[in-house]
């Protein structure tokens, strides 16, 4: 298809409108609606993989739009009452179908590429870690829009009714919804005994992906391959429906999408831990002495190294041989609802931890001491407020010699609540004999690091639960 033909098709078709709607609605969502995609290390403009995953997550509603616009385009010949006339021309049916499908494909792929480009500009400014591991995520996203539109065109031509486009778009939206709810989720029980759900193999047939929860998580290669097979089968069925002239041919045209679904389900992983995996290259550690961060956040190492070394020095002075010897960004990615895993010899932290994210300068040293003493035992992906938050300022005060208000504690009312709980325990702890202080601190750390007791209760001299 040359430029002249493309220009004519763009004037005659609704493809430009489809591309414009896809691009503008996506940008409106990302820039106008506040959410997790604005915050922290997983913000859509923070780094490359997060940007690719967030733009893919928008296919939850962009893909149904593409399917609906494709169906509307498929009605063009029927609306112009030229179907019978076109069948009498010597030009092959596939040639006419290729022009319309190609124009729509180019427009939607270009719209998605522009969306990625808009995100890429701030990503370049926000991260020093540049790689191409995100590219397959975005390429499969563009293919999903193209395949959905071509399938819609085929169905629109096979079922030439004014109800076909809205019905098909609504059906596609129901499909993506079910893939992220009942049909695409498996119920599980977490280690803490709470019910939860995790994605199953069927959910990967949806072109959309889960919301970005961890900066180091990406999609596995088998997911890319399986989804590509499924989407190519979908596109092949759509194109076959565009050229099919008889009911029998239309039935045969369903073969590619069915075969693609079967082959994709054979390739796609069934274990959630093999769907969303840790990007090993991004998780590689970059260190300044005992202080390490991942390659993804290597630009932050300079600001972290000084406070990290000072925190280790202070912890050693307070705990002696029992003190941690390194500070390291946590690279473990655990299922939602699971119990965190901590180390006695390493201060593990996450840049999205409230106490770390809010800390600057000297406060960062206090925050790292808090993570080394009472790292927090809220189940992964959950938030909590209670014993750990009360124990942290007491533990940091014991190391520093004075009770401090820690960063990231939220509203002033919460600060007052923490101070009201922590100050009496701190007052009692500092007047105890040194041996009793150490005994309570050891009990607190044992409970806090194992997540099998109440750290604050241990500070008060009570038994761990």
């Amino acid at each position: 298809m040359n430029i002249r033909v493309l220009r004519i098709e763009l004037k005659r078709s609704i493809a430009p409108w489809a591309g414009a709607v896809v691009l503008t609605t996506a940008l409106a969502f990302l820039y106008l609606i506040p959410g997790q995609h604005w915050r922290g290390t997983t913000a859509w403009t923070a780094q490359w993989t997060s940007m690719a995953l967030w733009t893919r997550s928008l296919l939850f509603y962009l893909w149904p739009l593409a399917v609906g616009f494709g169906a509307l385009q498929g009605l063009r010949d029927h609306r112009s009452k030229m179907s019978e006339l076109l069948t009498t021309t010597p030009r092959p049916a596939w040639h006419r179908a290729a022009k319309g499908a190609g124009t729509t494909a180019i427009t939607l792929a270009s719209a998605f590429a522009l969306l990625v480009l808009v995100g890429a500009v701030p990503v370049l400014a926000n991260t020093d870690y540049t790689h191409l591991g995100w590219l397959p995520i975005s390429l499969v996203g563009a293919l999903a829009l193209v395949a959905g539109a071509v399938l819609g065109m085929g169905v629109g031509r096979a079922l030439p009714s004014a109800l076909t486009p809205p019905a098909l778009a609504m059906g596609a939206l129901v499909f993506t919804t079910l893939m992220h709810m009942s049909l695409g989720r498996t119920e599980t029980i977490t280690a803490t005994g709470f019910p939860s759900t995790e994605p199953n193999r069927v959910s990967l047939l949806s072109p959309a992906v889960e919301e970005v929860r961890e900066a180091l998580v990406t999609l596995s290669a088998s997911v890319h391959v399986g989804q590509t097979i499924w989407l190519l089968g979908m596109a092949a069925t759509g194109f076959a429906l565009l050229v099919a002239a008889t009911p029998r041919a239309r039935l045969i045209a369903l073969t590619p999408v069915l075969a693609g679904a079967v082959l994709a389900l054979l390739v796609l992983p069934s274990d959630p831990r093999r769907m969303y995996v840790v990007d090993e290259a991004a998780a590689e550690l970059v260190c300044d002495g005992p202080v390490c961060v991942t390659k993804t956040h290597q630009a932050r190492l300079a600001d972290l190294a000084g406070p990290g070394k000072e925190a280790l020095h202070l912890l050693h002075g307070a705990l002696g041989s029992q003190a941690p010897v390194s500070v390291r960004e946590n690279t473990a990615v655990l299922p939602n609802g699971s119990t965190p895993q901590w180390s006695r010899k390493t201060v593990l932290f996450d840049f999205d931890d409230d106490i770390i994210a809010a800390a600057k300068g000297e406060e960062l040293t206090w925050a790292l001491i808090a993570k080394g003493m009472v790292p927090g035992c809220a189940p992964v992906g959950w938030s909590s407020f209670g014993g750990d938050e009360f124990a942290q300022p007491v533990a940091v005060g014991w190391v520093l010699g004075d009770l401090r208000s820690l960063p990231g504690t939220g509203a002033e009312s919460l600060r007052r609540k923490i101070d009201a709980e922590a100050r009496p325990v701190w007052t009692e702890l500092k007047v105890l004999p040194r041996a009793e202080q150490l005994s309570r601190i050891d009990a607190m750390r044992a409970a806090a690091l194992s997540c099998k007791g109440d750290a604050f209760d241990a500070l008060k001299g009570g038994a761990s639960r």
Side-chain angles (χ1 to χ4, degrees):
M1 182 168 58
N2 58 39
I3 298 299
R4 184 179 65 85
V5 174
L6 176 61
R7 189 182 300 116
I8 293 172
E9 282 294 318
L10 286 173
K11 291 180 180 179
R12 296 175 57 206
S13 72
I14 63 166
W17 289 103
V21 169
V22 165
L23 180 60
T24 55
T25 56
L27 291 175
F29 178 89
L30 291 169
Y31 280 107
L32 301 179
I33 301 177
Q36 190 61 41
H37 58 279
W38 282 11
R39 298 189 290 269
T41 61
T42 59
W44 86 285
T45 55
Q47 53 100 10
W48 293 101
T49 303
S50 294
M51 182 271 293
L53 288 171
W54 276 117
T55 50
R56 270 289 297 275
S57 71
L58 297 182
L59 294 185
F60 180 86
Y61 73 90
L62 293 181
W63 187 72
L65 281 177
V67 174
F69 274 114
L72 193 59
Q73 175 69 10
L75 294 178
R76 186 177 69 175
D77 292 344
H78 176 74
R79 292 197 310 268
S80 61
K81 304 186 185 301
M82 292 179 61
S83 302
E84 294 184 3
L85 177 62
L86 290 173
T87 58
T88 63
T89 62
R91 180 173 294 175
W94 69 266
H95 193 279
R96 295 194 305 273
K99 286 196 305 179
T103 302
T104 303
I106 290 172
T107 305
L108 287 173
S110 298
F112 195 74
L114 282 173
L115 174 64
V116 171
L117 182 61
V118 169
V121 173
V123 168
L124 279 172
N126 290 336
T127 182
D128 291 341
Y129 177 54
T130 302
H131 62 101
L132 295 178
W134 61 273
L135 198 54
I137 301 172
S138 293
L139 289 175
V140 173
L143 176 60
L145 286 176
V146 170
V150 174
L151 179 66
M153 291 176 67
V155 175
R157 193 174 192 283
L159 301 172
S161 166
L163 297 177
T164 298
L168 204 56
M170 185 57 65
L173 182 60
V174 170
F175 173 77
T176 57
T177 301
L178 290 177
M179 289 301 100
H180 287 265
M181 292 174 61
S182 55
L183 292 182
R185 311 290 298 186
T186 300
E187 292 187 1
T188 60
I189 301 297
T190 68
T192 52
F194 293 98
S196 182
T197 64
E198 56 188 15
N200 57 34
R201 190 195 326 239
V202 176
S203 71
L204 297 175
L205 294 178
S206 169
V209 298
E210 300 279 308
E211 287 191 353
V212 186
R213 185 171 61 86
E214 297 282 351
L216 301 177
V217 167
T218 187
L219 291 173
S220 66
S222 57
V223 172
H224 297 320
V225 173
Q227 290 181 334
T228 299
I229 292 172
W230 157 239
L231 293 171
L232 287 175
M234 185 187 299
T237 286
F239 192 79
L241 287 172
L242 274 175
V243 301
T246 64
R248 183 172 180 272
R250 294 185 182 111
L251 283 175
I252 294 174
L254 299 178
T255 302
V257 72
L258 296 176
V262 172
L263 290 175
L265 289 173
L266 292 175
V267 172
L268 293 169
S270 58
D271 186 352
R273 283 157 288 281
R274 291 175 53 226
M275 299 174 189
Y276 296 88
V277 298
V278 174
D279 185 337
E280 298 295 340
E284 183 180 338
L285 294 178
V286 180
C287 300
D288 182 343
V291 181
C292 300
V293 299
T294 61
K295 188 175 287 187
T296 298
H297 300 130
Q298 58 189 354
R300 296 188 170 193
L301 181 58
D303 294 332
L304 184 74
K309 293 173 183 177
E310 178 65 13
L312 291 176
H313 172 72
L314 292 170
L315 285 168
H316 184 268
L319 298 172
S321 61
Q322 299 298 313
V325 295
S326 63
V327 173
R328 176 167 61 83
E329 183 180 355
N330 196 355
T331 58
V333 177
L334 302 175
N336 260 353
S338 58
T339 302
Q341 299 175 3
W342 305 114
S343 168
R344 278 188 170 272
K345 290 302 180 181
T346 302
V347 178
L348 296 173
F349 72 94
D350 192 302
F351 283 110
D352 283 334
D353 291 337
D354 290 340
I355 193 172
I356 300 293
K360 302 292 181 184
E362 187 182 25
E363 287 186 341
L364 186 53
T365 300
W366 306 348
L368 290 171
I369 292 173
K371 295 296 290 184
M373 298 290 280
V374 186
C377 289
V380 175
W382 298 16
S383 60
S384 68
F385 182 78
D388 288 342
E389 286 71 30
F390 303 150
Q392 281 181 337
V394 178
V396 173
W398 181 79
V399 172
L400 299 176
D402 187 22
L403 191 65
R404 308 291 172 91
S405 179
L406 299 179
T409 51
E412 183 62 30
S413 60
L414 293 181
R415 286 177 177 268
R416 289 196 298 268
K417 172 68 173 175
I418 291 173
D419 186 72
E421 293 286 344
R423 189 165 294 279
V425 177
W426 158 250
T427 302
E428 178 187 351
L429 180 67
K430 70 179 181 178
V431 299
L432 292 174
R434 179 69 177 176
E436 178 61 21
Q437 290 183 27
L438 286 172
S439 175
R440 292 193 182 189
I441 291 294
D442 286 343
M444 176 206 71
R445 292 192 74 212
L449 294 171
S450 66
C451 292
K452 293 181 179 178
D454 189 325
F456 192 53
D457 190 51
L459 275 178
K460 294 185 288 187
S464 296
R465 290 195 299 268

